[in-house]
Amino acid sequence: DAGVIQSPRHEVTEMGQEVTLRCKPISGHDYLFWYRQTMMRGLELLIYFNNNVPIDDSGMPEDRFSAKMPNASFSTLKIQPSEPRDSAVYFCASTPPQGIGNTIYFGEGSWLTVV
Amino acid sequence: SQQGEEDPQALSIQEGENATMNCSYKTSINNLQWYRQNSGRGLVHLILIRSNEREKHSGRLRVTLDTSKKSSSLLITASRAADTASYFCATDAGAQKLVFGQGTRLTINP
């Protein structure tokens, strides 16, 4: 299995631009998570999906952030407009059908820099 | 807010020594997990301990859980240079969320 695949791995964008991060979970996994990691705040859960349905988006920082999961093999996290404080590593992760409490499999992350 | 808090924030030891990291949490949990993150990479699961377990082993890893003190420890024995990484505890409180601590940055000196 290729694991959780994220793209792009690195992105540098200018403030005000739209950023779209992409994720392909492990085949057969039905939970998908988006996390953000910064030095100041550590690893924060932004949103998670179960069977493509958003379950909890209480971690999404503000309306500039949105996430979708149109099918079981693809999810996006969009920031519009981006701001310098959005600079962070964004991780996508997935778990198998047994649900929460099992191992979470992380992608390698998307390193975002907003200048 | 963070559920788990690791201690120490950073630890530097000599190769071959044992490394102990601690995690404290605030609310009741179903299980607690430890993850490792190498520099520039994603997190990798190491071990899971359930709330009704007190100790668990996996290779050179030993995890303990004290639910009365709401704390856990991760012991890495006979450390190697390849163990250099950040280590995170994560708690599953049953709210279908896995919440991570701030991590311990472990450096193994050759």
Side-chain angles (χ1 to χ4, degrees), chain A residues 9 31 35 37 40-43 45 48 55-56 58 91 100-104 106-108 111, chain B residues 2 31 33 35 37 40-45 48 50 88 92 95-102:
Chain A
R9 285 298 314 279
Y31 280 90
Y35 284 88
Q37 186 176 39
M40 290 295 294
R41 300 177 67 86
L43 201 62
L45 176 62
Y48 73 95
I55 301 301
D56 187 341
S58 60
F91 287 102
I100 304 295
N102 289 308
T103 298
I104 288 186
F106 281 81
E108 295 287 61
W111 296 66
Chain B
Q2 297 291 340
N31 64 68
Q33 302 182 38
Y35 286 76
Q37 184 181 29
R41 307 296 297 273
L43 279 75
V44 175
H45 175 82
L48 179 152
R50 301 193 185 283
F88 296 85
D92 167 20
Q96 296 191 317
K97 294 180 182 181
L98 201 61
V99 180
F100 288 81
Q102 292 277 28

Side-chain angles (χ1 to χ4, degrees), chain B:
Chain B
S1 62
Q2 297 291 340
Q3 162 76 311
E5 296 291 337
E6 285 92 343
D7 171 61
Q9 290 188 347
L11 178 62
S12 181
I13 62 173
Q14 294 301 119
E15 193 168 17
E17 294 180 341
N18 296 341
T20 299
M21 289 156 274
N22 303 296
C23 170
S24 60
Y25 56 92
K26 297 175 183 175
T27 62
S28 297
I29 59 171
N30 294 323
N31 64 68
L32 185 144
Q33 302 182 38
W34 285 89
Y35 286 76
R36 183 186 72 217
Q37 184 181 29
N38 289 359
S39 180
R41 307 296 297 273
L43 279 75
V44 175
H45 175 82
L46 293 176
I47 194 166
L48 179 152
I49 186 165
R50 301 193 185 283
S51 59
N52 61 354
E53 298 176 311
R54 292 296 170 259
E55 188 171 312
K56 201 162 183 179
H57 296 254
S58 177
R60 294 183 296 113
L61 306 180
R62 172 178 169 252
V63 170
T64 62
L65 179 64
D66 187 335
T67 53
S68 66
K69 295 181 179 179
K70 291 186 171 58
S71 67
S72 174
S73 68
L74 171 67
L75 169 67
I76 303 174
T77 60
S79 63
R80 305 167 182 170
D83 295 328
T84 294
S86 291
Y87 292 81
F88 296 85
C89 67
T91 50
D92 167 20
Q96 296 191 317
K97 294 180 182 181
L98 201 61
V99 180
F100 288 81
Q102 292 277 28
T104 292
R105 190 170 62 255
L106 175 64
T107 302
I108 308 300
N109 301 304

